[in-house]
Amino acid sequence: MGAILVTLCQGQGGTSADEPQREWCNSWQVTSKAANSGLILKSVNKFEAAEIFQDYLSTGFRSQNKMFRTQGSLVHKFMKSDFPPLPNTFSDPVCWPSEGCLAEQLVSILCQCWSARHNTNVSQQSTNDSLSSRYCSNNVTLVSDSYELEDIYFSESFKLSISDSCISLESLSSTSQLLVVGKAASSGDLSVSVALILQCLFEEKDTRYFARKDLNLGNLVMVGENKVDVVKGTQLSIYPPSYFFDVSFWVKENFYTEMFTSYVYKCSNHLVRDVTLIDTYTHPQTHSVSHCYRLTYQSLDRALPYSYAYQYYQWMRTHLPTVLGVILR
């Protein structure tokens, strides 16, 4: 599949790769504009005219004797991508496959390395019915009568170990850091936060990545003298554009935030990155309570134009009173 290369002067792209990074409104907003044409950003590299683009010749601004400044310029590589399907029915939400996903891979490695079987400890207040909730929003409980508690090494970067009833992930870099990611109960069960481990390994806070089936650990896992090879996965979109919309409504007495977030995630086709309560209001006479939420839409692997995100938001908003019995403001 071919690629489209877009070279922009320093700071024009509007992504985090720019140094310095301009305000979004003062840039070309390259990822958002590309999404309108079904393109996602795959890589960003420095513009090396002498090495890579040997035939490049700056003709100057409008053919005048004003050469373009190429210092700090970046080459953006775009690839063709599908648009997300538009929403149709709430009763049949599009869910990601769970088998073989990144979170499940890690659980499998833990079970293999510690000779344990596992059960998922799912809270009744879970905000997402997908596997990202079962493995990433909650702990995974490993159940076994006995464990071979050897240290697990992820490449040469991290070590996972158990000591003094604590499960810790240690960074093996020059600035060594120790993070508690679980605990060993007196019954012998091990409770492990898969989300914390994956967030450290990949430096990624968005747990939607960990429910993807086409992502892989990409590290050489070593336990004692035994090695577990994990195939490296494909790279998804980088610096994907995000759009936020606010929605306000009067709530009923038995309403709680998890009801709303669960509804949003179910009907968003996993395009919602965050749901944040930004304001509450109580009417002085009726004492009715209103909530205002901010929804951030962002796609991990598909081209998401603003128009598509807006349609998902409007569809969610239209069905909200019927599903949750609230009154829109």
Side-chain angles (χ1 to χ4, degrees):
M1 183 181 294
I4 297 178
L5 303 181
V6 179
T7 303
L8 297 174
C9 293
Q10 186 179 35
Q12 287 186 336
T15 71
S16 300
D18 287 319
E19 296 180 1
Q21 184 179 3
R22 300 181 185 177
E23 293 184 1
W24 177 252
C25 60
N26 190 29
S27 72
W28 280 38
Q29 305 176 11
V30 63
T31 54
S32 177
K33 303 306 181 185
N36 293 332
S37 300
L39 299 171
I40 59 175
L41 183 63
K42 298 296 289 186
S43 65
V44 180
N45 299 289
K46 293 182 179 180
F47 177 74
E48 302 289 351
E51 299 178 7
I52 303 177
F53 302 96
Q54 298 179 2
D55 296 331
Y56 172 78
L57 177 63
S58 179
T59 59
F61 177 71
R62 295 184 178 180
S63 298
Q64 300 176 13
N65 191 22
K66 297 180 180 179
M67 298 303 177
F68 287 111
R69 182 177 178 179
T70 60
Q71 181 181 1
S73 299
L74 297 176
V75 180
H76 303 76
K77 180 180 178 181
F78 292 93
M79 302 288 289
K80 189 65 177 176
S81 172
D82 296 328
F83 293 108
L86 292 177
N88 43 36
T89 61
F90 172 77
S91 60
D92 186 25
V94 180
C95 296
W96 287 340
S98 60
E99 184 178 357
C101 76
L102 192 62
E104 190 175 73
Q105 290 176 46
L106 178 57
V107 173
S108 177
I109 289 173
L110 296 180
C111 293
Q112 176 183 348
C113 296
W114 287 339
S115 301
R117 56 189 176 85
H118 73 280
N119 295 314
T120 53
N121 181 18
V122 185
S123 169
Q124 292 183 353
Q125 294 185 347
S126 173
T127 61
N128 193 340
D129 292 335
S130 72
L131 187 128
S132 61
S133 170
R134 301 202 305 270
Y135 281 158
C136 298
S137 298
N138 303 279
N139 291 342
V140 169
T141 302
L142 305 179
V143 183
S144 180
D145 295 334
S146 62
Y147 292 91
E148 299 175 5
L149 302 180
E150 296 184 84
D151 295 339
I152 301 176
Y153 291 86
F154 295 91
S155 186
E156 298 179 355
S157 303
F158 292 93
K159 180 179 73 172
L160 189 66
S161 58
I162 302 178
S163 177
D164 297 330
S165 300
C166 290
I167 304 174
S168 303
L169 185 68
E170 180 181 0
S171 172
L172 302 179
S173 63
S174 56
T175 56
S176 179
Q177 295 180 343
L178 193 67
L179 177 66
V180 176
V181 295
K183 61 181 180 180
S186 56
S187 60
D189 298 347
L190 303 179
S191 180
V192 187
S193 175
V194 173
L196 281 177
I197 297 175
L198 293 175
Q199 286 171 346
C200 291
L201 295 181
F202 289 89
E203 297 182 352
E204 175 58 60
K205 296 181 179 181
D206 192 342
T207 57
R208 294 179 302 164
Y209 277 92
F210 310 145
R212 295 285 309 192
K213 142 178 196 181
D214 55 349
L215 280 176
N216 295 281
L217 280 175
N219 292 285
L220 183 66
V221 181
M222 179 182 297
V223 183
E225 297 180 354
N226 300 318
K227 296 181 179 180
V228 181
D229 287 306
V230 183
V231 180
K232 189 174 182 179
T234 57
Q235 186 183 29
L236 301 180
S237 173
I238 63 172
Y239 309 124
S242 59
Y243 318 96
F244 67 86
F245 306 94
D246 295 344
V247 58
S248 299
F249 48 84
W250 299 103
V251 302
K252 50 189 179 181
E253 292 184 1
N254 59 344
F255 176 88
Y256 52 92
T257 294
E258 286 78 8
M259 296 170 58
F260 176 67
T261 54
S262 178
Y263 162 73
V264 170
Y265 287 134
K266 280 184 177 180
C267 63
S268 69
N269 194 18
H270 294 273
L271 296 177
V272 171
R273 187 188 68 196
D274 295 309
V275 179
T276 305
L277 176 64
I278 61 174
D279 189 29
T280 59
Y281 170 74
T282 302
H283 194 281
Q285 280 79 38
T286 64
H287 303 290
S288 298
V289 178
S290 170
H291 287 188
C292 180
Y293 293 90
R294 175 158 296 173
L295 282 60
T296 303
Y297 288 79
Q298 184 185 65
S299 176
L300 299 176
D301 62 339
R302 296 183 179 184
L304 180 64
Y306 174 86
S307 59
Y308 273 65
Y310 183 71
Q311 288 185 65
Y312 268 94
Y313 163 74
Q314 286 287 19
W315 191 91
M316 178 279 304
R317 181 183 172 90
T318 299
H319 292 80
L320 181 59
T322 302
V323 176
L324 296 184
V326 299
I327 301 175
L328 293 174
R329 294 189 63 185

